[in-house]
Amino acid sequence: MNAPQTGPTDHTAAEDQDAGSPACVMSFNANDASGASGIGADIATISAMGAHALPVVTSLLIRDSAEVFESHEIDSDAIVDQARSVLEDVTIASWKVGFLGSADGISAVAEILSDYTDIPLVSYLPNMSWLEEDAQMAYLEAFRELILPSSHVLVGNHKTLTDFLLPEWDAERAPSARELAVAAAEHGCGYVLVTGVQLPDQFIDNVLASPQGAVAGERFERFEASFVGAGDTLSAALAAILASGTELDVAVSEALSFLDQALDSGFRPGMGGVVPDRFFWALPPGEQPPEGVVTDESTHPEMDDANIPPPHARNVH
């Protein structure tokens, strides 16, 4: 059975890039001063994937490496001006949407996206339990109405996407990735990339699905560390890979592999969660990770002379 044609089918901006120049990815996300998530995570990830990040700040997160305390909105006109100024000058190849701050921020970003419908959009929905209930409900409703219809792929944790897409779900079993994709498709979204699906035997599944069923995915071994910024890392990596014109099923497998290795090489900069190392591959051959990383060195042979990361033991294909 042939793999489905899951990439953009129209002429894309990736074809317009000057020979040898990196594809440009515009990311809309909050500024997180801890560097664990948000726009900082997007910039690092997109750069690590060989693309050029065009960061548009949508809000300011007040947080540390353990938790989010609050956020401050940025005027929607300022969001639009940031993006429009760059878009009048630079050809982009894909979008990444993260936390947009508020319903007004969502509306502002959706207005921009509506002018570039042929460019693939990767949307990430984080857990926003730290928001007050009214603000969270307004945000999710605006996201459902304005961002989902433009999304090529919606990325999120299994529980977060279940609460968002199937809030009335009351079956004893959790919904499948396909059932979440069916719910997303009702709002115009093409695919869902569902992470953290619990499996027996200490594994979790990560599944790309359409309303017709599972398309691609990887299983990871479950481990104890609490990570910060994994979702932003995965979605930004996927946007960067799609910017090169890669088919979606292949791009998802590559993005998941990148995330897995970034998590395994993660480090703890403070007293909270572990931050993915988006530049794990940059260590010279034979050099050991710095003190504080969570990698078990016994599972990682040295890199070869080409500086290519070795196959990773935590991936189950």
Side-chain angles (χ1 to χ4, degrees):
M1 181 175 175
N2 293 329
Q5 296 299 308
T6 52
T9 56
D10 297 331
H11 175 77
T12 66
E15 298 170 359
D16 296 329
Q17 299 293 320
D18 292 336
S21 64
C24 294
V25 180
M26 179 166 283
S27 169
F28 298 90
N29 213 339
N31 185 63
D32 167 9
S34 78
S37 66
I39 205 72
D42 288 348
I43 293 170
T45 302
I46 292 167
S47 299
M49 302 306 295
H52 177 62
L54 304 171
V56 176
V57 178
T58 58
S59 62
L60 305 176
L61 285 185
I62 310 302
R63 67 161 302 157
D64 58 17
S65 61
E67 61 181 315
V68 178
F69 303 110
E70 59 180 319
S71 67
H72 294 281
E73 297 180 18
I74 289 179
D75 183 80
S76 58
D77 288 341
I79 296 174
V80 172
D81 289 345
Q82 288 179 79
R84 294 287 189 199
S85 296
V86 176
L87 291 169
E88 291 173 2
D89 176 51
V90 178
T91 299
I92 69 167
S94 67
W95 311 99
K96 151 70 192 286
V97 159
F99 181 59
L100 302 181
S102 65
D104 287 342
I106 289 174
S107 180
V109 171
E111 180 183 347
I112 296 168
L113 297 175
S114 67
D115 292 335
Y116 300 85
T117 57
D118 60 333
I119 296 175
L121 167 63
V122 176
S123 299
Y124 169 55
L125 186 67
N127 183 323
M128 295 177 292
S129 57
W130 51 272
L131 274 179
E132 293 185 2
E133 184 176 357
D134 289 347
Q136 184 176 162
M137 293 300 293
Y139 184 96
L140 293 175
E141 186 60 31
F143 192 95
R144 185 180 292 110
E145 292 183 3
L146 299 175
I147 299 298
L148 270 190
S150 301
S151 298
H152 188 43
V153 189
L154 172 65
V155 181
N157 175 268
H158 189 205
K159 184 179 187 311
T160 299
L161 292 188
T162 298
D163 291 344
F164 174 58
L165 295 169
L166 295 170
E168 305 301 322
W169 184 268
D170 58 1
E172 291 187 7
R173 65 171 181 85
S176 67
R178 187 194 70 82
E179 288 167 324
L180 291 171
V182 169
E186 292 177 356
H187 300 281
C189 179
Y191 299 85
V192 294
L193 176 51
V194 187
T195 64
V197 180
Q198 299 297 315
L199 296 174
D201 301 324
Q202 297 300 309
F203 288 99
I204 59 173
D205 210 358
N206 305 279
V207 183
L208 173 72
S210 73
Q212 288 70 47
V215 176
E218 301 281 349
R219 286 188 293 166
F220 294 168
E221 185 179 351
R222 189 182 298 116
F223 44 93
E224 297 301 324
S226 175
F227 290 95
V228 185
D232 273 322
T233 301
L234 175 60
S235 50
L238 179 57
I241 298 169
L242 289 176
S244 69
T246 303
E247 295 293 337
L248 179 57
D249 51 348
V250 176
V252 164
S253 293
E254 293 182 4
L256 285 169
S257 178
F258 175 85
L259 173 65
D260 189 26
Q261 295 175 83
L263 294 180
D264 196 56
S265 298
F267 60 96
R268 183 174 282 106
M271 296 181 289
V274 176
V275 175
D277 183 358
R278 291 105 184 178
F279 290 92
F280 63 87
W281 47 267
L283 284 174
E287 181 171 323
Q288 297 301 311
E291 184 178 353
V293 292
V294 298
T295 296
D296 178 358
E297 63 178 333
S298 65
T299 66
H300 291 269
E302 295 181 357
M303 294 184 182
D304 61 20
D305 291 339
N307 232 13
I308 300 174
H312 186 254
R314 186 167 286 144
N315 284 331
V316 179
H317 301 282

